[in-house]
Coordinates of all heavy atoms in Angstrom, one line a residue:
M1 N -4.5 -17.9 -27.8 CA -5.4 -18.8 -27.1 C -4.6 -20.0 -26.7 O -3.8 -20.6 -27.4 CB -6.5 -19.3 -28.1 CG -7.5 -18.3 -28.4 SD -8.8 -19.2 -29.2 CE -10.2 -18.4 -28.4
K2 N -5.0 -20.5 -25.5 CA -4.3 -21.7 -25.0 C -5.1 -23.0 -25.4 O -6.3 -22.9 -25.7 CB -4.3 -21.7 -23.4 CG -3.5 -20.6 -22.9 CD -3.4 -20.8 -21.4 CE -3.5 -19.5 -20.6 NZ -3.5 -19.7 -19.2
A3 N -4.5 -24.1 -25.4 CA -5.1 -25.3 -25.7 C -6.2 -25.7 -24.6 O -7.2 -26.3 -24.9 CB -4.1 -26.5 -25.8
S4 N -5.9 -25.2 -23.4 CA -6.9 -25.6 -22.4 C -8.2 -24.8 -22.5 O -9.2 -25.2 -22.0 CB -6.3 -25.3 -21.0 OG -6.0 -23.9 -20.9
D5 N -8.2 -23.7 -23.3 CA -9.4 -23.0 -23.5 C -10.4 -23.8 -24.5 O -11.6 -23.6 -24.4 CB -9.1 -21.6 -24.1 CG -8.4 -20.7 -23.2 OD1 -8.6 -21.0 -21.9 OD2 -7.8 -19.7 -23.6
H6 N -9.9 -24.6 -25.3 CA -10.7 -25.4 -26.3 C -11.0 -26.8 -25.7 O -11.7 -27.5 -26.4 CB -10.0 -25.5 -27.6 CG -9.7 -24.1 -28.2 ND1 -10.8 -23.4 -28.7 CD2 -8.6 -23.4 -28.4 CE1 -10.4 -22.3 -29.2 NE2 -9.0 -22.3 -29.0
A7 N -10.5 -27.2 -24.6 CA -10.7 -28.5 -24.0 C -12.2 -28.6 -23.7 O -12.8 -27.6 -23.2 CB -9.9 -28.8 -22.8
P8 N -12.8 -29.7 -23.9 CA -14.3 -29.9 -23.5 C -14.4 -29.8 -22.0 O -13.6 -30.2 -21.2 CB -14.6 -31.3 -24.0 CG -13.3 -32.1 -24.2 CD -12.3 -31.0 -24.5
Q9 N -15.5 -29.1 -21.6 CA -15.8 -28.9 -20.2 C -16.4 -30.2 -19.6 O -17.3 -30.8 -20.3 CB -16.7 -27.7 -20.1 CG -16.1 -26.4 -20.5 CD -14.9 -26.0 -19.7 OE1 -14.9 -26.2 -18.5 NE2 -13.9 -25.4 -20.3
S10 N -16.0 -30.5 -18.5 CA -16.7 -31.7 -17.8 C -18.0 -31.3 -17.3 O -18.3 -30.1 -16.9 CB -15.8 -32.2 -16.6 OG -15.8 -31.2 -15.7
P11 N -19.0 -32.2 -17.4 CA -20.3 -31.8 -17.0 C -20.3 -31.6 -15.4 O -19.4 -32.0 -14.7 CB -21.2 -33.1 -17.3 CG -20.1 -34.2 -17.4 CD -18.8 -33.5 -17.8
A12 N -21.3 -30.8 -15.1 CA -21.4 -30.4 -13.6 C -21.7 -31.6 -12.8 O -22.4 -32.5 -13.2 CB -22.4 -29.3 -13.4
Q13 N -21.0 -31.6 -11.7 CA -21.2 -32.8 -10.8 C -22.6 -32.7 -10.2 O -23.0 -31.6 -9.8 CB -20.2 -32.8 -9.7 CG -18.8 -33.0 -10.1 CD -18.6 -34.5 -10.6 OE1 -19.3 -35.4 -10.1 NE2 -17.6 -34.7 -11.4
P14 N -23.4 -33.8 -10.2 CA -24.7 -33.8 -9.5 C -24.5 -33.5 -8.0 O -23.5 -33.9 -7.4 CB -25.3 -35.2 -9.8 CG -24.1 -36.0 -10.1 CD -23.0 -35.2 -10.6
P15 N -25.5 -32.9 -7.4 CA -25.4 -32.7 -6.0 C -25.4 -34.0 -5.3 O -26.0 -35.0 -5.7 CB -26.6 -31.8 -5.7 CG -27.6 -32.1 -6.8 CD -26.8 -32.4 -8.0
H16 N -24.6 -34.0 -4.2 CA -24.5 -35.2 -3.4 C -25.8 -35.5 -2.6 O -26.3 -34.7 -1.9 CB -23.4 -35.1 -2.4 CG -23.2 -36.3 -1.5 ND1 -22.8 -37.5 -2.0 CD2 -23.5 -36.5 -0.2 CE1 -22.8 -38.4 -1.1 NE2 -23.2 -37.8 0.1
R17 N -26.4 -36.6 -3.0 CA -27.6 -37.0 -2.2 C -27.3 -38.0 -1.1 O -26.4 -38.8 -1.2 CB -28.6 -37.7 -3.2 CG -29.1 -36.9 -4.3 CD -30.1 -37.6 -5.1 NE -29.4 -38.8 -5.7 CZ -30.1 -39.8 -6.4 NH1 -31.4 -39.7 -6.5 NH2 -29.4 -40.8 -6.9
P18 N -28.0 -37.8 0.0 CA -27.6 -38.7 1.1 C -28.1 -40.1 0.7 O -29.1 -40.3 0.0 CB -28.5 -38.1 2.3 CG -29.4 -37.2 1.7 CD -28.9 -36.8 0.4
R19 N -27.4 -41.1 1.2 CA -27.7 -42.5 0.9 C -29.0 -42.8 1.6 O -29.2 -42.5 2.7 CB -26.6 -43.4 1.3 CG -25.4 -43.2 0.5 CD -24.3 -44.1 1.0 NE -24.8 -45.5 1.2 CZ -24.3 -46.5 0.6 NH1 -23.2 -46.4 -0.1 NH2 -24.8 -47.7 0.8
R20 N -29.8 -43.6 0.9 CA -31.0 -44.1 1.5 C -30.6 -45.2 2.4 O -29.8 -46.1 2.1 CB -32.0 -44.7 0.5 CG -32.6 -43.6 -0.3 CD -33.7 -44.2 -1.2 NE -33.3 -45.4 -1.8 CZ -34.1 -46.2 -2.5 NH1 -35.3 -45.8 -2.7 NH2 -33.7 -47.3 -3.0
S21 N -31.2 -45.2 3.6 CA -30.8 -46.2 4.6 C -31.6 -47.5 4.3 O -32.8 -47.4 4.0 CB -31.2 -45.7 6.0 OG -30.9 -46.8 6.9
R22 N -31.0 -48.7 4.5 CA -31.7 -49.9 4.3 C -32.2 -50.4 5.6 O -32.7 -51.5 5.7 CB -30.8 -50.9 3.6 CG -30.3 -50.6 2.2 CD -29.4 -51.5 1.7 NE -28.1 -51.5 2.5 CZ -27.1 -52.3 2.3 NH1 -27.2 -53.3 1.3 NH2 -26.0 -52.2 3.0
Q23 N -31.9 -49.7 6.7 CA -32.3 -50.1 8.0 C -33.8 -49.8 8.3 O -34.3 -48.8 7.8 CB -31.4 -49.4 9.0 CG -29.9 -49.6 8.8 CD -29.1 -48.7 9.6 OE1 -29.6 -48.2 10.6 NE2 -27.9 -48.5 9.3
V24 N -34.3 -50.6 9.1 CA -35.7 -50.4 9.6 C -35.6 -50.4 11.1 O -34.7 -51.1 11.7 CB -36.7 -51.4 9.1 CG1 -36.8 -51.3 7.6 CG2 -36.3 -52.8 9.5
P25 N -36.6 -49.8 11.8 CA -36.5 -49.8 13.3 C -36.8 -51.3 13.7 O -37.5 -52.0 13.0 CB -37.6 -48.8 13.7 CG -38.0 -48.1 12.5 CD -37.5 -48.8 11.3
Y26 N -36.3 -51.6 14.9 CA -36.6 -52.9 15.5 C -38.1 -53.1 15.8 O -38.6 -54.2 15.8 CB -35.8 -53.1 16.7 CG -34.3 -53.4 16.4 CD1 -33.3 -52.6 16.8 CD2 -33.9 -54.5 15.7 CE1 -31.9 -52.8 16.6 CE2 -32.6 -54.8 15.4 CZ -31.7 -53.9 15.9 OH -30.3 -54.2 15.6
S27 N -38.8 -52.0 16.0 CA -40.2 -52.1 16.2 C -40.9 -52.7 15.0 O -41.9 -53.4 15.2 CB -40.8 -50.7 16.6 OG -40.6 -49.8 15.6
D28 N -40.4 -52.4 13.8 CA -41.0 -53.0 12.6 C -40.8 -54.5 12.5 O -41.7 -55.2 12.0 CB -40.4 -52.3 11.4 CG -40.9 -50.9 11.2 OD1 -41.9 -50.5 11.8 OD2 -40.4 -50.2 10.3
A29 N -39.7 -54.9 13.1 CA -39.5 -56.4 13.2 C -40.4 -57.0 14.1 O -41.0 -58.1 13.8 CB -38.0 -56.6 13.6
L30 N -40.7 -56.4 15.2 CA -41.7 -56.9 16.2 C -43.1 -56.9 15.6 O -43.9 -57.9 15.8 CB -41.7 -56.1 17.5 CG -40.4 -56.2 18.3 CD1 -40.5 -55.3 19.4 CD2 -40.2 -57.6 18.7
V31 N -43.4 -55.9 14.8 CA -44.8 -55.8 14.1 C -44.9 -57.0 13.2 O -45.9 -57.6 13.1 CB -45.0 -54.4 13.5 CG1 -46.2 -54.5 12.6 CG2 -45.1 -53.4 14.5
L32 N -43.8 -57.2 12.4 CA -43.8 -58.3 11.4 C -44.0 -59.6 12.2 O -44.8 -60.5 11.7 CB -42.5 -58.3 10.6 CG -42.4 -59.5 9.6 CD1 -43.4 -59.3 8.5 CD2 -41.0 -59.4 9.0
G33 N -43.4 -59.8 13.3 CA -43.5 -61.1 14.1 C -45.0 -61.2 14.6 O -45.5 -62.3 14.6
M34 N -45.6 -60.1 15.0 CA -47.0 -60.1 15.5 C -48.0 -60.5 14.3 O -48.9 -61.3 14.6 CB -47.4 -58.8 16.1 CG -46.8 -58.6 17.5 SD -47.5 -57.2 18.4 CE -46.4 -55.9 17.8
I35 N -47.7 -60.0 13.2 CA -48.5 -60.3 12.0 C -48.4 -61.8 11.7 O -49.4 -62.5 11.4 CB -48.2 -59.4 10.8 CG1 -48.6 -58.0 11.1 CG2 -48.8 -60.0 9.5 CD1 -48.1 -57.0 10.1
A36 N -47.2 -62.3 11.7 CA -46.9 -63.7 11.4 C -47.6 -64.6 12.5 O -48.2 -65.6 12.2 CB -45.5 -64.0 11.3
A37 N -47.5 -64.1 13.7 CA -48.1 -64.9 14.8 C -49.6 -64.9 14.7 O -50.3 -66.0 15.0 CB -47.7 -64.3 16.2
A38 N -50.2 -63.8 14.3 CA -51.7 -63.8 14.1 C -52.1 -64.7 13.0 O -53.1 -65.4 13.1 CB -52.1 -62.4 13.8
V39 N -51.4 -64.7 11.9 CA -51.7 -65.6 10.8 C -51.6 -67.1 11.2 O -52.4 -67.9 10.9 CB -50.8 -65.3 9.6 CG1 -50.9 -66.4 8.6 CG2 -51.1 -64.0 9.0
V40 N -50.5 -67.4 12.0 CA -50.3 -68.8 12.4 C -51.4 -69.2 13.4 O -51.9 -70.3 13.3 CB -48.9 -69.0 13.1 CG1 -48.8 -70.2 13.8 CG2 -47.9 -68.9 12.0
L41 N -51.7 -68.3 14.3 CA -52.8 -68.6 15.3 C -54.1 -68.9 14.6 O -54.8 -69.9 14.8 CB -53.0 -67.4 16.3 CG -54.1 -67.6 17.3 CD1 -53.8 -68.7 18.2 CD2 -54.3 -66.3 18.1
I42 N -54.5 -68.0 13.7 CA -55.8 -68.2 13.1 C -55.8 -69.5 12.2 O -56.8 -70.3 12.2 CB -56.2 -66.9 12.2 CG1 -56.5 -65.8 13.1 CG2 -57.4 -67.2 11.3 CD1 -56.6 -64.5 12.4
S43 N -54.7 -69.7 11.4 CA -54.7 -70.8 10.5 C -54.6 -72.2 11.3 O -55.3 -73.1 10.9 CB -53.5 -70.7 9.6 OG -52.3 -70.7 10.3
T44 N -53.9 -72.2 12.4 CA -53.8 -73.4 13.2 C -55.1 -73.7 13.9 O -55.5 -74.9 14.0 CB -52.7 -73.4 14.2 OG1 -52.8 -72.3 15.0 CG2 -51.3 -73.4 13.5
I45 N -55.8 -72.7 14.4 CA -57.2 -72.9 15.0 C -58.1 -73.5 14.0 O -58.9 -74.4 14.2 CB -57.7 -71.6 15.6 CG1 -56.9 -71.3 16.9 CG2 -59.2 -71.7 15.9 CD1 -57.2 -70.0 17.5
V46 N -58.1 -72.9 12.7 CA -59.1 -73.3 11.7 C -58.7 -74.7 11.2 O -59.6 -75.6 11.1 CB -59.1 -72.3 10.6 CG1 -59.9 -72.8 9.4 CG2 -59.7 -71.0 11.0
F47 N -57.5 -75.0 10.9 CA -57.1 -76.3 10.2 C -57.0 -77.4 11.2 O -57.3 -78.6 10.8 CB -55.7 -76.1 9.5 CG -55.9 -75.2 8.3 CD1 -55.0 -74.1 8.1 CD2 -56.8 -75.4 7.3 CE1 -55.0 -73.4 7.0 CE2 -56.9 -74.6 6.2 CZ -56.0 -73.5 6.1
T48 N -56.8 -77.2 12.5 CA -56.8 -78.3 13.4 C -58.1 -78.4 14.2 O -58.2 -79.3 15.0 CB -55.6 -78.1 14.4 OG1 -55.8 -76.9 15.1 CG2 -54.3 -78.1 13.7
R49 N -59.0 -77.5 13.9 CA -60.3 -77.5 14.7 C -60.0 -77.5 16.2 O -60.5 -78.3 17.0 CB -61.2 -78.6 14.3 CG -61.6 -78.6 12.9 CD -62.6 -79.6 12.5 NE -62.0 -81.0 12.7 CZ -62.7 -82.1 12.6 NH1 -64.0 -82.1 12.2 NH2 -62.1 -83.2 12.7
A50 N -59.2 -76.5 16.6 CA -58.8 -76.5 18.0 C -59.8 -76.1 18.9 O -59.7 -76.3 20.2 CB -57.6 -75.5 18.1
W51 N -61.0 -75.7 18.6 CA -62.1 -75.3 19.4 C -62.7 -76.6 20.1 O -63.4 -76.5 21.0 CB -63.2 -74.5 18.7 CG -63.7 -75.2 17.5 CD1 -64.8 -76.1 17.5 CD2 -63.3 -75.0 16.2 NE1 -65.0 -76.5 16.2 CE2 -64.1 -75.8 15.4 CE3 -62.3 -74.2 15.6 CZ2 -64.0 -75.9 14.0 CZ3 -62.2 -74.3 14.2 CH2 -63.0 -75.1 13.4
L52 N -62.3 -77.8 19.5 CA -62.9 -79.0 20.0 C -62.0 -79.5 21.2 O -62.6 -80.4 22.0 CB -62.9 -80.0 19.0 CG -63.8 -79.7 17.7 CD1 -63.6 -80.8 16.7 CD2 -65.2 -79.5 18.1
S53 N -60.9 -79.1 21.4 CA -60.0 -79.6 22.5 C -59.1 -78.6 23.1 O -58.6 -77.7 22.4 CB -59.1 -80.8 21.9 OG -58.1 -81.1 22.8
L54 N -59.0 -78.6 24.4 CA -58.2 -77.7 25.1 C -56.7 -78.0 24.8 O -55.9 -77.0 24.7 CB -58.4 -77.7 26.6 CG -57.9 -76.7 27.5 CD1 -58.3 -75.3 27.0 CD2 -58.2 -76.9 29.0
A55 N -56.3 -79.2 24.6 CA -54.9 -79.5 24.3 C -54.5 -79.0 22.9 O -53.4 -78.4 22.8 CB -54.7 -81.0 24.4
A56 N -55.4 -79.1 22.0 CA -55.2 -78.5 20.7 C -55.1 -77.0 20.7 O -54.2 -76.4 20.0 CB -56.3 -78.9 19.6
M57 N -55.8 -76.4 21.5 CA -55.7 -74.9 21.7 C -54.4 -74.5 22.3 O -53.8 -73.5 21.9 CB -56.9 -74.3 22.5 CG -57.0 -72.9 22.5 SD -57.4 -72.2 20.9 CE -59.1 -72.4 20.8
G58 N -53.9 -75.3 23.2 CA -52.6 -75.1 23.9 C -51.5 -75.2 22.8 O -50.5 -74.4 22.8
L59 N -51.6 -76.2 22.0 CA -50.6 -76.4 20.9 C -50.6 -75.2 19.9 O -49.6 -74.8 19.4 CB -50.8 -77.7 20.1 CG -50.4 -79.0 20.9 CD1 -50.8 -80.2 20.1 CD2 -48.9 -79.0 21.1
C60 N -51.8 -74.7 19.6 CA -51.9 -73.5 18.8 C -51.2 -72.3 19.4 O -50.5 -71.5 18.7 CB -53.4 -73.1 18.5 SG -54.2 -74.3 17.4
G61 N -51.3 -72.2 20.7 CA -50.6 -71.1 21.4 C -49.1 -71.3 21.4 O -48.4 -70.3 21.1
I62 N -48.6 -72.5 21.5 CA -47.2 -72.8 21.4 C -46.7 -72.5 20.0 O -45.7 -71.9 19.8 CB -46.9 -74.3 21.8 CG1 -47.2 -74.4 23.3 CG2 -45.5 -74.6 21.4 CD1 -47.1 -75.9 23.7
Y63 N -47.4 -72.9 18.9 CA -47.1 -72.6 17.6 C -47.0 -71.1 17.3 O -46.2 -70.6 16.6 CB -48.0 -73.3 16.6 CG -48.0 -74.8 16.6 CD1 -49.1 -75.5 16.3 CD2 -46.8 -75.5 16.9 CE1 -49.1 -76.9 16.2 CE2 -46.8 -76.9 16.8 CZ -47.9 -77.6 16.6 OH -47.8 -78.9 16.5
T64 N -48.0 -70.4 17.9 CA -48.1 -68.9 17.7 C -46.8 -68.3 18.3 O -46.3 -67.4 17.7 CB -49.4 -68.4 18.4 OG1 -50.5 -69.1 17.7 CG2 -49.5 -66.9 18.1
V65 N -46.5 -68.6 19.5 CA -45.4 -68.0 20.2 C -44.1 -68.4 19.5 O -43.2 -67.5 19.3 CB -45.3 -68.5 21.7 CG1 -44.0 -68.1 22.3 CG2 -46.4 -68.0 22.4
A66 N -44.0 -69.6 19.0 CA -42.8 -70.0 18.2 C -42.6 -69.2 16.9 O -41.6 -68.8 16.6 CB -42.8 -71.5 18.0
A67 N -43.8 -69.0 16.2 CA -43.8 -68.2 15.0 C -43.3 -66.8 15.3 O -42.6 -66.2 14.5 CB -45.1 -68.3 14.3
F68 N -43.8 -66.2 16.4 CA -43.5 -64.8 16.7 C -42.0 -64.7 17.0 O -41.3 -63.9 16.4 CB -44.3 -64.4 17.9 CG -43.8 -63.0 18.4 CD1 -44.2 -61.8 17.7 CD2 -43.0 -62.9 19.5 CE1 -43.8 -60.6 18.2 CE2 -42.6 -61.7 20.0 CZ -42.9 -60.5 19.3
V69 N -41.5 -65.6 17.8 CA -40.1 -65.6 18.2 C -39.2 -65.8 17.0 O -38.2 -65.1 16.7 CB -39.8 -66.6 19.3 CG1 -38.3 -66.8 19.5 CG2 -40.4 -66.2 20.6
L70 N -39.5 -66.8 16.1 CA -38.7 -67.1 15.0 C -38.7 -65.9 13.9 O -37.7 -65.5 13.5 CB -39.3 -68.3 14.2 CG -38.5 -68.8 13.1 CD1 -37.1 -69.4 13.5 CD2 -39.2 -69.9 12.3
V71 N -39.9 -65.4 13.6 CA -40.0 -64.4 12.6 C -39.3 -63.1 13.1 O -38.6 -62.4 12.4 CB -41.4 -64.2 12.1 CG1 -41.5 -62.9 11.2 CG2 -41.9 -65.4 11.4
A72 N -39.7 -62.7 14.3 CA -39.1 -61.4 14.9 C -37.7 -61.6 15.1 O -36.8 -60.6 14.8 CB -39.8 -61.1 16.2
G73 N -37.2 -62.7 15.5 CA -35.8 -62.9 15.7 C -35.0 -62.9 14.4 O -33.9 -62.3 14.4
V74 N -35.4 -63.5 13.4 CA -34.7 -63.5 12.1 C -34.7 -62.2 11.6 O -33.7 -61.7 11.0 CB -35.4 -64.6 11.1 CG1 -34.8 -64.4 9.7 CG2 -35.1 -66.0 11.6
S75 N -35.8 -61.4 11.6 CA -35.9 -60.1 11.0 C -35.0 -59.1 11.8 O -34.3 -58.3 11.2 CB -37.3 -59.5 10.9 OG -37.9 -59.5 12.2
M76 N -34.9 -59.3 13.1 CA -34.0 -58.5 13.9 C -32.5 -58.8 13.6 O -31.7 -57.9 13.5 CB -34.2 -58.6 15.4 CG -35.5 -57.9 15.9 SD -35.6 -58.2 17.6 CE -37.0 -57.2 18.0
L77 N -32.2 -60.1 13.4 CA -30.9 -60.5 13.1 C -30.5 -59.9 11.7 O -29.4 -59.4 11.5 CB -30.8 -62.0 13.1 CG -29.4 -62.6 12.6 CD1 -28.3 -62.3 13.6 CD2 -29.5 -64.1 12.4
L78 N -31.3 -60.0 10.7 CA -31.0 -59.5 9.4 C -30.8 -57.9 9.5 O -30.0 -57.4 8.8 CB -32.2 -59.8 8.4 CG -32.3 -61.3 8.0 CD1 -33.5 -61.6 7.2 CD2 -31.0 -61.8 7.3
N79 N -31.7 -57.3 10.3 CA -31.5 -55.8 10.4 C -30.1 -55.5 11.1 O -29.5 -54.6 10.6 CB -32.6 -55.3 11.3 CG -32.7 -53.8 11.2 OD1 -32.2 -53.1 10.3 ND2 -33.3 -53.2 12.3
R80 N -29.8 -56.3 12.0 CA -28.4 -56.1 12.7 C -27.3 -56.3 11.7 O -26.3 -55.6 11.7 CB -28.3 -57.1 13.9 CG -27.0 -57.0 14.6 CD -27.2 -56.5 15.9 NE -25.9 -56.5 16.6 CZ -25.6 -55.7 17.5 NH1 -26.5 -54.8 17.8 NH2 -24.5 -55.8 18.1
L81 N -27.4 -57.3 10.8 CA -26.4 -57.6 9.9 C -26.3 -56.4 8.9 O -25.2 -56.0 8.4 CB -26.6 -58.9 9.2 CG -26.5 -60.2 9.9 CD1 -26.9 -61.3 9.1 CD2 -25.1 -60.3 10.4
I82 N -27.4 -55.9 8.5 CA -27.4 -54.7 7.5 C -26.8 -53.5 8.2 O -26.1 -52.8 7.6 CB -28.9 -54.4 7.1 CG1 -29.4 -55.5 6.2 CG2 -28.9 -53.1 6.4 CD1 -28.7 -55.6 4.9
R83 N -27.0 -53.3 9.5 CA -26.4 -52.2 10.2 C -24.9 -52.3 10.3 O -24.2 -51.3 10.2 CB -27.0 -52.0 11.6 CG -28.4 -51.5 11.6 CD -28.9 -51.4 13.1 NE -30.3 -51.1 13.0 CZ -30.8 -50.1 13.6 NH1 -30.1 -49.2 14.2 NH2 -32.1 -49.8 13.6
N84 N -24.4 -53.5 10.4 CA -23.0 -53.7 10.6 C -22.2 -54.1 9.3 O -21.1 -54.6 9.4 CB -22.8 -54.8 11.7 CG -23.2 -54.3 13.0 OD1 -23.3 -53.1 13.3 ND2 -23.7 -55.3 13.8
D85 N -22.8 -54.0 8.1 CA -22.1 -54.5 7.0 C -21.1 -53.5 6.4 O -20.5 -53.8 5.4 CB -23.1 -54.9 5.9 CG -23.8 -53.8 5.2 OD1 -23.7 -52.6 5.7 OD2 -24.4 -54.0 4.1
G86 N -21.0 -52.3 7.0 CA -20.0 -51.3 6.4 C -20.5 -50.7 5.2 O -19.8 -50.2 4.4
G87 N -21.8 -50.5 5.1 CA -22.4 -49.9 3.9 C -22.2 -48.4 3.8 O -22.7 -47.8 2.9
D88 N -21.6 -47.8 4.9 CA -21.4 -46.3 4.9 C -20.2 -45.9 4.0 O -20.1 -44.7 3.7 CB -21.2 -45.9 6.3 CG -22.4 -46.0 7.1 OD1 -23.6 -46.1 6.6 OD2 -22.4 -46.1 8.3
E89 N -19.4 -46.8 3.6 CA -18.3 -46.5 2.7 C -18.8 -46.1 1.3 O -19.8 -46.6 0.8 CB -17.3 -47.7 2.6 CG -16.6 -48.0 3.9 CD -16.8 -49.4 4.2 OE1 -17.3 -50.2 3.4 OE2 -16.5 -49.7 5.4
E90 N -18.1 -45.1 0.8 CA -18.5 -44.7 -0.6 C -18.1 -45.8 -1.6 O -16.9 -46.3 -1.6 CB -17.7 -43.4 -0.9 CG -18.2 -42.7 -2.1 CD -19.7 -42.2 -2.0 OE1 -20.0 -41.9 -0.9 OE2 -20.4 -42.2 -3.0
E91 N -19.0 -46.2 -2.5 CA -18.7 -47.2 -3.5 C -17.9 -46.5 -4.6 O -18.3 -45.5 -5.1 CB -20.0 -47.9 -3.9 CG -20.6 -48.7 -2.9 CD -22.1 -48.4 -2.8 OE1 -22.6 -47.5 -3.5 OE2 -22.7 -49.1 -1.9
Q92 N -16.9 -47.2 -5.1 CA -16.1 -46.8 -6.2 C -16.3 -47.6 -7.5 O -15.5 -47.5 -8.4 CB -14.6 -46.7 -5.8 CG -14.3 -45.8 -4.6 CD -14.6 -44.4 -4.9 OE1 -14.4 -43.9 -6.0 NE2 -15.1 -43.6 -3.9
Y93 N -17.3 -48.3 -7.5 CA -17.5 -49.2 -8.6 C -19.0 -49.1 -9.0 O -19.8 -48.7 -8.2 CB -17.2 -50.7 -8.3 CG -17.8 -51.2 -7.0 CD1 -19.1 -51.7 -7.0 CD2 -17.2 -51.0 -5.8 CE1 -19.7 -52.2 -5.9 CE2 -17.8 -51.5 -4.6 CZ -19.0 -52.0 -4.7 OH -19.6 -52.5 -3.5
P94 N -19.3 -49.4 -10.3 CA -20.8 -49.3 -10.7 C -21.6 -50.3 -10.0 O -21.3 -51.4 -9.8 CB -20.7 -49.5 -12.2 CG -19.4 -50.2 -12.5 CD -18.5 -49.9 -11.3
V95 N -22.8 -49.8 -9.6 CA -23.7 -50.6 -8.9 C -25.1 -50.5 -9.6 O -25.6 -49.4 -9.8 CB -23.9 -50.2 -7.4 CG1 -25.0 -51.1 -6.7 CG2 -22.6 -50.2 -6.7
L96 N -25.6 -51.7 -9.9 CA -26.9 -51.7 -10.6 C -28.0 -51.6 -9.6 O -28.0 -52.3 -8.6 CB -27.1 -53.0 -11.4 CG -26.1 -53.2 -12.6 CD1 -26.3 -54.5 -13.2 CD2 -26.2 -52.1 -13.6
H97 N -29.0 -50.7 -9.8 CA -30.1 -50.6 -8.9 C -31.3 -51.0 -9.6 O -31.7 -50.6 -10.7 CB -30.2 -49.1 -8.4 CG -29.1 -48.8 -7.4 ND1 -29.1 -49.2 -6.1 CD2 -27.9 -48.1 -7.6 CE1 -28.0 -48.8 -5.5 NE2 -27.3 -48.2 -6.4

C-alpha cells in the first residue's frame, strides 16, 4: 500500500455557480426617478397649497423635474460605476455576504 492511498480525500468541489449580477437596467433607474418625481409633485402641491397660485404650481413643476433628473441621474451614474468596477474578476479572498 502506498502512503497516498491513506491520504484524506479532498471534498468534492461545488459546482460553479454563475455570479449574480449587481447591475439593473437603465429603465429601472428611470422608473425610480418617476416615482421620486411623483412623490415630490404630490408633496409640494399639498404642503405649499399650490392650487391657490399659478406661480406656485409652476414651482412645483420645476421641483418635480429637478427631482426626476437628480434621482434618475444619480441612479444611472451608480449603475454605470457598478458595471465598470471590474467585478468580473474571480475573488481570491474571503468575502462576507
